[in-house]
């Protein structure tokens, strides 16, 4: 069970264990921060480490995971990403261009607030790396956003103690709402593109040639 493994790791490695568990949330989205952060708070309430240490180490883990994804995006690069996007069924090259323009205008807010949205918190670092967002700025925004998110869940787990799992229940509702909203957008997108394709929209099937870097 994930909870047992996380608690065991924190008890064995202390704050470093908390950082590892939380950092994995950025690399493997199926590991939800809404579960591991309250566990870190619970461990702090048991005296495994202090509450300030729990906040410090979980934030270190969040930032470390985000930085790895950021550099993965940077290594992938804009041209490769654009070429890959062009080969996704029903997706246009212009979709990437519009998203790129949106990130250019709102990237600062996207990175900061994205750290506090389930699912998106694990992916927002990728476009930041692809677009070459200023790294010190990315680091500051990621740290602040992560610290706020972590404080809420670690603090709740600390206060609830043995009842830390209540946090996961409430957070799970929020996560499901986000997923439902994403699903609704995806359905709308697919239906719209299929209609455009049936009308012979040339951009709907546009594919870029392979880009070498």
């Amino acid at each position: 069970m994930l909870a047992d493994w996380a608690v065991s790791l924190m008890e064995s490695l202390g704050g470093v264990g908390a950082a590892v568990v939380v950092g994995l949330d950025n690399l493997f989205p199926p590991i939800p921060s809404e579960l591991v952060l309250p566990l870190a708070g619970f461990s702090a309430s048991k005296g495994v480490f202090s509450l300030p240490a729990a906040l410090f180490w979980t934030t270190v883990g969040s930032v470390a995971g985000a930085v790895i994804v950021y550099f993965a995006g940077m290594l992938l690069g804009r041209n490769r990403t654009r070429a890959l996007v062009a080969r996704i069924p029903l997706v246009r090259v212009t979709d990437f261009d519009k998203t790129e323009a949106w990130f250019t205008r709102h990237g600062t807010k996207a990175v900061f607030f994205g750290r506090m949205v389930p699912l998106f918190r694990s992916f927002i670092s990728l476009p930041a790396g692809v677009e070459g967002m200023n790294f010190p700025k990315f680091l500051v925004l990621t740290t602040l956003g992560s610290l706020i998110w972590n404080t809420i869940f670690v603090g709740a787990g600390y206060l609830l103690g043995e009842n830390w799992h209540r946090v996961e229940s409430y957070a799970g509702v929020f996560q499901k709402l986000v997923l439902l909203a994403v699903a609704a957008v995806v359905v709308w997108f697919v239906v719209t593109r299929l209609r455009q394709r049936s009308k012979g929209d040339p951009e709907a099937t546009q594919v870029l040639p392979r880009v070498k870097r």
Side-chain angles (χ1 to χ4, degrees), residues 33-168:
S33 63
E34 296 85 352
L35 169 65
V36 297
L37 290 174
L39 275 174
F42 169 61
S43 297
S45 71
K46 291 174 57 181
V48 175
F49 34 68
S50 67
L51 180 59
L55 294 174
F56 172 79
W57 284 108
T58 54
T59 301
V60 167
S62 295
V63 173
V67 167
I68 292 173
V69 177
Y70 172 90
F71 281 111
M74 181 176 287
L75 290 173
L76 185 61
R78 178 181 181 275
N79 289 338
R80 286 180 180 175
T81 302
R82 199 169 189 270
L84 289 172
V85 166
R87 287 169 170 76
I88 299 175
L90 303 181
V91 177
R92 303 173 179 174
V93 175
T94 52
D95 292 329
F96 176 85
D97 295 335
K98 291 175 182 178
T99 301
E100 182 179 36
W102 180 89
F103 193 87
T104 300
R105 294 194 303 271
H106 306 290
T108 297
K109 291 180 285 187
V111 170
F112 177 72
F113 290 108
R115 300 304 308 167
M116 293 175 269
V117 179
L119 188 65
F120 291 99
R121 58 180 283 105
S122 300
F123 297 108
I124 192 61
S125 303
L126 190 64
V130 169
E131 295 303 319
M133 183 179 193
N134 178 270
F135 184 68
K137 178 189 289 187
F138 169 81
L139 205 58
V140 170
L141 293 170
T142 298
T143 300
L144 291 177
S146 298
L147 180 59
I148 293 172
W149 180 258
N150 293 356
T151 298
I152 293 172
F153 284 89
V154 171
Y158 182 85
L159 293 174
L160 289 172
E162 295 286 349
N163 296 315
W164 64 268
H165 52 83
R166 292 185 180 178
V167 182
E168 184 188 9

